[in-house]
Amino acid sequence: MGAVKTKRMPRAVREQQMLDAAVEIFGQRGYMAASMDEIAELAGVSKPLVYLYLNSKEDLFTACIRREASALVDAVRSGVRTDLPADRRLWDGLLAFFAHTAAHPHAWSVVHLQARTHGETFAAEAAAMREEIVAFVTHLIAVGAREAHRDPDLPEREVAGLAEALVGAAESLAVWANATEGVTARQAAATLMNFAWAGLGDLTQGRSWSPPPAADDVGHA
Amino acid sequence: MGAVKTKRMPRAVREQQMLDAAVEIFGQRGYMAASMDEIAELAGVSKPLVYLYLNSKEDLFTACIRREASALVDAVRSGVRTDLPADRRLWDGLLAFFAHTAAHPHAWSVVHLQARTHGETFAAEAAAMREEIVAFVTHLIAVGAREAHRDPDLPEREVAGLAEALVGAAESLAVWANATEGVTARQAAATLMNFAWAGLGDLTQGRSWSPPPAADDVGHA
């Protein structure tokens, strides 16, 4: 991209291009190894312009985390249609999640791995996104349980725990799927759906697995 | 502890005391905020002795990650008896995991949160432990599937994905359980067992959930 184009482009558009380039470089190289020179070059702008717009490497990274976290949350939310049955909502949500993380592997690396590896400030940005997703999933599970039987014997705390388990499973599987050749978004979503649905499906209908009595546990309180 | 005791105690014992103190302080304060003064004081030794034995804050932290990661892996392994049926093995493994993370919350914070937040070197130490646990869980699931039906139609890749999902769910739930007042190890284990068993139980017996046809998915490839 030439200097003429640089001058004509509105600041907002130019900033998005810088963020596009930064997400790719941060995702590929990692936060520490990523260089502002390389980001500026990929964005087709001068390094001083990146600093002028985004201030510092820290602020640029924070802007990347925020933009990509918000895009991921939006993708999952908009993938789920509330008028469909509970298993279909779960499937659509999982598919939206894995489709997004597969289509944007650098963005996923930025929000999930890089953001959590380079200090507490960045980790807090990623944690805020995670909380939004957990809240959304908690709501989905609670609604599913309410629909399945009018007497809600799935306590609020149990629902919160299940949402944490499901989100943790999805995160872990997305990292693995992106690192494993030939695993598609659809396959990853199907693996987790298979894992989760029979369990969640039974639970939301009031059928649960019973642990052996405590005295019978192998050496644990 | 007085200076006399310090002199009499063998180096190995003294080192373990320093690590005990370091895990507690790193877990409580976080890696950055933890001070070597405070660690030495809690261990009842002088700061120069900590440096003499463990060399630096970085090396001390690495020693903590290694010791606690290895203790967690051992706790899970030794919780599982291979002569019991598959659902019991899963339950015992989960209970051993949550009992250990609940009994040693600072150690869990060190290996799972602190180790992954402060740079790639420490993160790699934690990742090595995680791989061991994933390998162990992969083996458990594969054996369970083989026992359940002689014709193994649960492909290796599917088993690997399920193990990633289960480990991710357990990690996420352990963080939540330790941060949520009144959630016991047994409750956390039961939540994940309920979530996982019906799904895994069905899967290992060759019954799987079927996704709707791809063309019917909501806006994703």
Side-chain angles (χ1 to χ4, degrees):
Chain A
M1 294 176 200
V4 177
K5 249 189 176 170
T6 303
K7 280 183 186 146
R8 281 202 197 127
M9 205 166 283
R11 174 169 178 154
V13 176
R14 180 61 73 199
E15 263 192 32
Q16 291 307 311
Q17 289 184 340
M18 291 178 190
L19 291 181
D20 291 344
V23 167
E24 195 170 325
I25 301 295
F26 284 134
Q28 259 176 36
R29 305 253 185 275
Y31 174 66
M32 298 305 276
S35 86
M36 293 296 270
D37 285 301
E38 203 177 0
I39 290 169
E41 196 189 325
L42 185 63
V45 299
S46 68
K47 195 161 72 164
L49 194 65
V50 179
Y51 280 105
L52 181 67
Y53 280 14
L54 276 317
N55 194 44
S56 65
K57 187 176 178 183
E58 289 74 16
D59 286 0
L60 175 60
F61 189 50
T62 302
C64 289
I65 299 170
R66 286 191 187 155
R67 190 184 77 167
E68 298 308 331
S70 154
L72 177 56
V73 172
D74 288 351
V76 174
R77 281 184 187 280
S78 64
V80 175
R81 281 171 42 193
T82 50
D83 58 325
L84 294 175
D87 64 333
R88 184 56 195 267
R89 287 198 300 266
L90 179 57
W91 167 250
D92 288 339
L94 291 175
L95 194 59
F97 175 78
F98 288 107
H100 189 89
T101 54
H104 306 95
H106 296 315
W108 176 239
S109 171
V110 163
V111 297
H112 183 70
L113 297 178
Q114 293 301 319
R116 302 198 304 178
T117 310
H118 300 288
E120 279 151 19
T121 313
F122 301 137
E125 295 285 343
M129 165 200 77
R130 193 180 196 278
E131 272 173 34
E132 265 195 79
I133 291 197
V134 169
F136 179 67
V137 172
T138 303
H139 176 72
L140 279 188
I141 296 175
V143 169
R146 214 177 305 134
E147 280 171 11
H149 55 138
R150 303 179 69 97
D151 175 29
D153 60 1
L154 196 59
E156 207 174 301
R157 173 160 293 183
E158 181 78 3
V159 170
L162 289 168
E164 288 286 345
L166 184 56
V167 169
E171 290 172 331
S172 176
L173 207 54
V175 172
W176 173 80
N178 280 1
T180 308
E181 187 131 5
V183 176
T184 66
R186 199 177 166 79
Q187 283 163 352
T191 294
L192 189 49
M193 185 70 191
N194 261 314
F195 178 57
W197 179 247
L200 277 179
D202 272 2
L203 275 181
T204 54
Q205 295 187 31
R207 291 190 298 272
S208 65
W209 180 91
S210 292
D216 195 30
D217 295 335
V218 186
H220 299 287
Chain B
M1 291 173 199
V4 177
K5 250 189 176 168
T6 304
K7 281 183 186 147
R8 281 200 196 130
M9 204 167 285
R11 173 168 177 152
V13 176
R14 182 59 76 198
E15 262 192 31
Q16 291 306 311
Q17 288 183 340
M18 290 178 191
L19 291 181
D20 291 344
V23 167
E24 194 170 328
I25 301 293
F26 284 135
Q28 259 176 37
R29 305 254 186 273
Y31 175 65
M32 299 304 275
S35 86
M36 294 296 270
D37 285 300
E38 203 178 1
I39 291 168
E41 196 189 327
L42 186 63
V45 299
S46 69
K47 195 161 74 164
L49 195 66
V50 178
Y51 280 105
L52 181 69
Y53 280 14
L54 277 316
N55 193 43
S56 64
K57 188 177 178 183
E58 289 74 18
D59 285 1
L60 175 59
F61 190 51
T62 301
C64 288
I65 299 170
R66 285 191 187 156
R67 189 184 77 167
E68 297 308 331
S70 153
L72 177 57
V73 172
D74 288 351
V76 174
R77 281 185 187 281
S78 65
V80 175
R81 282 171 44 193
T82 51
D83 58 326
L84 294 175
D87 65 334
R88 185 54 196 268
R89 288 198 300 264
L90 180 57
W91 167 250
D92 288 339
L94 290 176
L95 194 58
F97 175 79
F98 288 107
H100 189 89
T101 54
H104 307 96
H106 296 315
W108 175 240
S109 172
V110 163
V111 297
H112 183 68
L113 297 178
Q114 294 300 319
R116 302 197 304 177
T117 310
H118 300 287
E120 279 151 20
T121 314
F122 301 137
E125 294 286 343
M129 164 199 77
R130 192 181 197 277
E131 272 173 34
E132 265 194 78
I133 291 198
V134 169
F136 179 66
V137 171
T138 302
H139 176 73
L140 279 189
I141 296 176
V143 169
R146 212 177 307 134
E147 279 171 11
H149 56 138
R150 303 179 70 98
D151 175 29
D153 60 2
L154 197 59
E156 206 175 302
R157 172 159 294 182
E158 181 77 3
V159 170
L162 288 168
E164 288 285 346
L166 184 57
V167 170
E171 289 172 330
S172 176
L173 207 53
V175 172
W176 174 81
N178 280 3
T180 307
E181 186 129 6
V183 176
T184 65
R186 198 175 167 79
Q187 283 163 352
T191 293
L192 189 49
M193 185 70 190
N194 261 313
F195 178 56
W197 178 247
L200 277 179
D202 273 2
L203 276 179
T204 54
Q205 295 188 31
R207 291 190 298 272
S208 66
W209 179 91
S210 293
D216 196 30
D217 295 336
V218 187
H220 298 287

